[in-house]
Amino acid sequence: MIDSPDDLASPDVFRRKMAHVDREFADARHYLSALCAEDNQALSALMMEIHRSGRAMKVLAAMAVQALDFAHLSADRLGGDVQKWLDESAMTEDAAKTERHKTELGGEG
């Protein structure tokens, strides 16, 4: 048997804490899924539940970790330049937004 230092959590405490971490990651995935699906009702309900429970910053941190994981995993498939891909995607989205505004305002398009 291996002796563990006094400052380590017991296996039961560790499992409880891991369950909370799993919940933060699951909520982050649900948030992103609702956001992408433009399901405003589900998004609002999830945001209210996260805010009420005081876990908003934990869920935000989980989203950041997931984004970093995505960037690292995608680097090979995107030619290794994730930042360039993100920058180009943002520019493409901004161009589409500009076109929508022109159309909505009665401009050419």
Side-chain angles (χ1 to χ4, degrees):
M1 185 167 163
I2 298 174
D3 292 327
S4 59
D6 292 333
D7 59 341
L8 290 179
S10 71
D12 290 334
V13 171
F14 180 78
R15 280 198 264 322
R16 274 196 310 273
K17 288 185 179 186
M18 284 306 299
H20 288 288
V21 170
D22 287 344
R23 183 174 180 202
E24 310 312 335
F25 278 96
D27 283 345
R29 287 189 303 275
H30 290 136
Y31 177 90
L32 294 172
S33 179
L35 186 64
C36 289
E38 296 181 8
D39 185 349
N40 293 330
Q41 187 174 9
L43 187 61
S44 178
L46 182 60
M47 289 172 65
M48 286 174 31
E49 190 275 323
I50 290 169
H51 176 72
R52 237 180 282 152
S53 68
R55 298 178 307 113
M57 292 305 293
K58 291 178 182 178
V59 173
L60 181 61
M63 273 191 259
V65 169
Q66 289 176 2
L68 288 173
D69 284 347
F70 170 77
H72 288 117
L73 292 172
S74 299
D76 291 336
R77 293 186 179 166
L78 298 172
D81 196 349
V82 174
Q83 187 60 51
K84 180 180 176 187
W85 178 78
L86 289 171
D87 290 343
E88 289 173 356
S89 294
M91 288 172 38
T92 302
E93 183 180 317
D94 290 344
K97 187 176 181 179
T98 301
E99 286 299 316
R100 280 195 306 276
H101 284 304
K102 281 184 187 178
T103 303
E104 290 169 1
L105 296 174
E108 295 177 24

